[in-house]
Amino acid sequence: MHSLEGVTRSDQYRALGLSTFAFTVCFAVWTIFSIIGVKIKSDLGLSDTQFGLLVGTPILTGSLSRIFLGIWTDQYGGRIVYVLTMLAAAGATFLLSHATTYEAMLVAALGVGLAGGSFAVGVAYVSKWYPANQQGTALGIFGVGNVGAAVTKFVAPFVMVAFGWTAVAQVWAAILAVMAVVFWFTTKDDPDLLARRAKGERAKGTFMQLTPLAKLQVWRFSLYYFFVFGAFVALALWLPRYLVGVYQLDIKSAGMIAAFYSIPASIFRAYGGRLSDKYGARTIMYWTFGTSVVLTFMLSYPNTDYIIHGIQGPITFSTSMSLVPFVVTIFVLGFFMSLGKAAVYKHIPVYYPDHVGAVGGLVGMIGGLGGFVLPIAFGVLLDLTGVWTSCFMLLFAIVAVALVWMHVSIRIMERAALPAELQALPELPEMQDVHGAAQKGALAGVIEDWRPEDAEFWATEGRKIARRNLWISIPALLLAFSVWMVWSVVVAKLPTIGFTYTTDQLFWLAALPGLSGATLRIFYSFMVPIFGGRLWTTITTASLLIPAFGIGYAVQNPETPYLIFLVLALLCGLGGGNFASSMSNISFFFPKREKGNALALNAGLGNLGVSVMQFLVPLVITASVFGALGGEPQATAEGAGLWLQNAGFIWVPFLIISTVLAWFGMNDIASARASFAEQSVIFSRSHNWIMCWLYTGTFGSFIGYSAGFPLLAKTQFPEVNSLQFVFLGPLVGALSRAATGWVSDKYGGGRVTFWTFLLMIAAVGGVLFFLGIKEQPGAFWGFFAMFMVLFFATGVGNASTFQMIPVIMRKEVDRLMPALSPAERLRQAEKESAAIIGFTSAIAAYGAFFIPKSYGSSIAMTGGPEAALWGFLVFYVSCAVITWFVYTRSGGLLHDIEHRRAATTLQATSAE
């Protein structure tokens, strides 16, 4: 707790008042593009996506700089950091007025964004002047500086109309520079800095300041702020464009109305701080998220016409939100966002009093990134869907996730604090009268005593239970991979049955399951300890019924909106997320000596789901598998019939069976717990990030090529019925992973990985060669053969990179933690290896998005996929260089180990 000895009420008021006023000016500068950006868009003829990037660029700088500015404030004092930040932002804003090209404006916008970074400085500076029971109110008042966005919306349109947008930039820059000078001469250094100077103490180093960032709680607070602040900034920037586009208002009217959103979302932040001090930040967050879920759902509902076929004829009605209800709804949303912003920052000085700058900076950075990412996402969604309310659909999803995560976290905390009391309660209040001792804590499928390392227990009970869970998990994971990748075949057939989507739109559909699946893996890896493996496997398997049914119905009507297909593509990503939770769950069941084989079976046979899908779907869509229940066939351009709905429906019976088996046949292990804090040490390990890069080159390529290969083959060789062959690629990749692990064990994972990347470079070169001669006879088979080599190499690399990780971490832990005993170092290495394997698998899964999307972008921009393939080739070169330099060269981390292993293998071979 910081000392406030000698601090007067006048000192507190001066620090708070001037900081708030300075932040108001900074925020007005930070959001300047919300007004002048509209004029720039018109002058330069920018697309919605380009406009979103320009508007969001200052938000990016203002966000990323917050964590560093917060740390520097703790180290050097808020007064000097605040002044220098304002002067730098003022200079960049003035230079903006002299930019004449889009690229020059983007560069200047990066400097303008420093004005937004001042928030982290102000939070750390103001919090040091107040005791804990008043910090919520003080920081709430400081946050009122968000009203600077409204100031810009009120004043800037009139200045711009009268003198041009360059005058707005120059005037705003001058005001900010004057504010910096005033702040320097009217404020004092904070009490903490003065106390350190008096004692001759040095501030904590940067790495010490970053220590709390390893806590999951800090990242949860960041998600809260991503919505309450990031979404606020995004809407403040986007609303003028929205109002002009939806309600055909002029820029002055749109700016004035948008201010009705910005003002309550700023001014009432002070009231939110007061309520947080009085009733608790948690209560305010519940009110904020609960209300925001309702409001964003209302705002996300597009103008829709309904036709009901009644007995006496069609009944028609429409739903839409006119301007006045829209403004009122936005006003209420802004009000609750303002309460939430204050409540989030009430937590920080209470939980992390000595790291307000670092933690506040990180939370502010993630929140600010929302202001950068979301406007771009709004523009992209508008370009892709053509639905104006798609921006509010995205916000609804974000706030729903935040509300669920907050509630789950609070429930976990309550159960940890009061386990006996909560265990004694009935599942439903209505059961209170009949709830006796026999019913307390009765949870089906839960194993209280689980000791797989005990040989007797394993032989008599454990092995049978573990294997039953494994063999139920494998088909569930195989089905998950099948649903995850089903779009790779479906999108290739959509044009043949009347869907008039562009090639880029089709590649978006093929890529989105990879994006959502990879993202969900990060979250799914933490779900098993929270919900239990049995319940989570049941839920996640059953959830795949949604995209399976959705695809079956959507493809039957060529008039189905593209937005529906985008949503279904994202929902297919649920299957991709299942890999992380499935591997996590199975790892708890087996002893160390059998864990590797169990995980290999689970992962390897699960990966076969891609090949099974690509083999099965082309067959079932050619016949009426489900008869009248499956619907009528769709006519192709050639006049044949195609039951494309079977691509979704075929999985439904298997998913139902697998769901039932998971619920009735699997178990939860009561002792299965995974601490995020214990695993978070991997984020400070450089080899974690290196292996993410390398595993993206292997597994990211495998899953990305699996997703994009069918459509790529179809677009480049339309005369060949390639869909009957493409399943072989994932099959080769999956089998090579399972069959070549022994090579890495004998000769070293680093060496195998290096040669694998060289093989992949050669294979991509071969693909490029055959694409260059694709008009010649036999070119397809050369193209196909090169891809088979690529798939084979990715499988070998998947096994070799995972073999490298435990070896690397055992050596690194010995070096980094020599004080531990050998047994403790081994346990630490195993724990970190498991965490790195999970994290790298999540990052690498983004290949399922980036590779198909790269194909689509390359074709859209250049007319062919060659540019994307050249990019992949360069990436593989970087992977080979990194593998050689860090691990396999003389002096590399793994050189000595693998040299001895290879020598031993050669000696054994010679002896034989």
Side-chain angles (χ1 to χ4, degrees), residues 154 180 245 249 299 309 317 337 346 417 450 496 589 619 634 669 719 797 807 837 859 901:
F154 271 123
L249 302 180
L299 291 166
H309 298 283
F317 64 95
M337 281 181 161
K346 166 64 179 176
W450 187 250
T496 65
F589 280 95
L619 294 179
Q634 298 89 50
I669 299 176
E719 72 283 358
V807 179
I837 287 172
I859 292 171
R901 179 176 295 175

Side-chain angles (χ1 to χ4, degrees), residues 150-161:
V151 173
T152 291
K153 288 182 176 62
F154 271 123
V155 181
F158 297 98
V159 178
M160 185 172 68
V161 171

Side-chain angles (χ1 to χ4, degrees), residues 650-713:
I650 192 63
W651 310 111
V652 170
F654 299 106
L655 287 170
I656 293 173
I657 293 170
S658 186
T659 299
V660 173
L661 287 174
W663 180 250
F664 289 103
M666 296 187 73
N667 300 95
D668 293 327
I669 299 176
S671 60
R673 294 292 183 267
S675 167
F676 178 81
E678 291 177 345
Q679 299 178 70
S680 64
V681 68
I682 68 171
F683 298 117
S684 65
R685 306 296 196 219
S686 60
H687 293 285
N688 173 52
W689 304 105
I690 294 173
M691 294 310 300
C692 282
W693 188 266
L694 300 183
Y695 195 59
T696 299
T698 57
F699 180 78
S701 297
F702 167 77
I703 202 66
Y705 289 141
S706 298
F709 184 43
L711 188 55
L712 179 68

Side-chain angles (χ1 to χ4, degrees), residues 17 186 574 829 884:
T186 55
L574 294 170
W884 173 82

Side-chain angles (χ1 to χ4, degrees), residues 604-635:
L605 297 181
N607 285 352
L608 280 177
V610 181
S611 186
V612 169
M613 179 278 300
Q614 291 183 347
F615 173 77
L616 185 61
V617 168
L619 294 179
V620 299
I621 63 176
T622 61
S624 180
V625 176
F626 298 99
L629 293 176
E632 296 296 322
Q634 298 89 50

Side-chain angles (χ1 to χ4, degrees), residues 96 129 174 217 270 310 414 416 423 556 730 777 787 808 831 868 875:
L96 174 66
W129 290 95
Q217 181 189 54
E414 290 172 345
Q423 186 74 6
Q556 296 186 56
F787 259 104
I808 291 169
K831 180 173 66 178
F875 175 69

